[in-house]
Amino acid sequence: MAIVYDTYQHEAPARLPLLGATGSARALAWRDGHAVSAVQFLAHVRAVAAGLPAATAAVNLCEDRYAFLVAFCAIVLRGQTNLLPSSRAPQAVDEVMAAHPGCYALGEQALDPAPRGYHRLPLLEAAPVSATDAPWPMVPADQVVAIGYTSGSTGAPSANRKTWHSFHASNAGNLAMLQAAVGTHFTVVATVPPQHMYGMEMSVLLPLLGGVGIHAGRPFFPGDVAAALAVVPAPRVLVTTPVHLRALVESGIVLPAIAAMVSATAPLPVELAQAAERCFGAPLLEVFGSTETCVFASRRPTVDEDWLLYDDVSLHPQPDGTAVEAPQLAAPVTLADIVSLSDGGRRFRLRGRHADMLEIAGKRASLGDLTRRLLAIPGVRDGVVFQLDGGDALDVHRIAALVVAPGLDEHAIFNALRRAIDPLFLPRPLRLVTALPRNETGKLPRAALLELLQHHD
């Protein structure tokens, strides 16, 4: 039987503000140790917008977060769409540009080689920053301001269109969640790139629409994270990933006081969450979403296994996943995640992913659970279990594993797995590698896993 949903009929205004928080003097960003006000930011945006080429879309390749914010808004004010590839690798950029004939690429750095039609931002310090009588910019609510591409962890990256209304709606949920945890005003330091949808939501939309201050950089090493936190005012929120959290914890570094940490992009082991809270004396919040849906739930994993849905979000379990209804979605979106609901549908628990479910000889397992058991082996620092392409005569697909485990050999790891899982699901082959091919947000693109495995066979 087909399931019929109540279609969201949110009456969106025809136009919505480019900057959601009032106050031209408020600190929108912290750059080179100095605050940049909203009015200074808008002056930079207008100056850049005036020099952009005529086109329908632009690949935003800015690495500096402030430059990205300026470029993002300049592209929007010109009525164009920000194209956000899954990475800045030349092949990924070329594929996105090929899908959007006539677009150009935009960045703040001199690139060699540069994408075709590359437009370099002017030095933002040279842009006019004086107050202006121009009205506060408004954007058509239905304008497609961004097209985000998935990471490719389950196949080829797919395109997802985002309107300015949908970004306003998704930001409201994130802002309410964070304000409940740390208060009305806070400053964000993020280790994730702004091109990723998680980075977009937490380090671009929050300062634009939520009155939140943002650090302009993208710190990578633990010392860089500490230095970035030290130059922004409290209360501070660190937006990061499990990969960065593990590096911070293992470094033993002392961070300036933070009010909260936020994690996403990959499963977060509860042991790591507990260690991070002990080390840094702040709650660790995990958010749940996707490029297709944006964030729609959160939890504190050291306290709750279940996820709490944002306001006005509802889930509908399906045989092949879960349909999501949310204010930022014009129609329900079905994700591959299998969930069970509780608390009158306000909470859910993950039970696996439809695409991750394995069935061999009548027995079932999930790739996520197999990976979790692999990571639980003492001495294993990183690893992944995944299914190979192409099945045998019975259409059974082989399972493979790549493992980072200095000091262990493949035989020892295989024997440890044999004690933890059904022999039918033992990965063959299992290969030791020096590092997994994680992208900037810690995800593992499937094509990169297959290539790495091929080089080790």
Side-chain angles (χ1 to χ4, degrees), residues 128-141:
V129 294
S130 58
T132 176
D133 294 330
W136 212 251
M138 301 291 287
V139 177

Side-chain angles (χ1 to χ4, degrees), residues 188-215:
V188 168
V189 170
T191 66
V192 292
Q195 285 86 359
H196 186 272
M197 198 54 62
Y198 170 50
M200 168 66 65
E201 291 191 77
M202 294 292 168
S203 69
V204 176
L205 298 183
L206 279 175
L208 290 181
L209 305 179
V212 172
I214 184 71
H215 184 270

Side-chain angles (χ1 to χ4, degrees), residues 310-354:
Y310 287 177
D311 289 345
D312 299 321
V313 175
S314 59
L315 302 184
H316 305 273
Q318 309 286 295
D320 59 348
T322 302
V324 183
E325 285 188 284
Q328 63 265 28
L329 301 175
V333 171
T334 298
L335 300 180
D337 301 281
I338 307 296
V339 306
S340 59
L341 301 178
S342 61
D343 191 20
R346 296 302 307 145
R347 296 179 183 270
F348 69 92
R349 184 169 298 188
L350 285 173
R351 301 299 183 183
R353 289 177 60 86
H354 178 69

Side-chain angles (χ1 to χ4, degrees), residues 44-52 73-75 77-78:
H44 284 138
V45 169
R46 290 189 173 101
V48 170
L52 292 182
C73 291
I75 291 167
L77 285 189
R78 285 293 300 269

Side-chain angles (χ1 to χ4, degrees), residues 14 25 32 40 68-69 94 101 104 155 181 215 233 237 285 300 315 321 430:
D32 299 326
Q40 291 173 318
F68 182 95
L69 278 159
D94 289 345
Y104 62 97
H215 184 270
V237 174
L285 308 172
R300 184 178 174 185
L315 302 184
L430 183 151

Side-chain angles (χ1 to χ4, degrees), residues 1-13:
M1 178 184 295
I3 297 177
V4 179
Y5 303 103
D6 291 330
T7 304
Y8 271 98
Q9 296 293 340
H10 297 289
E11 289 295 331

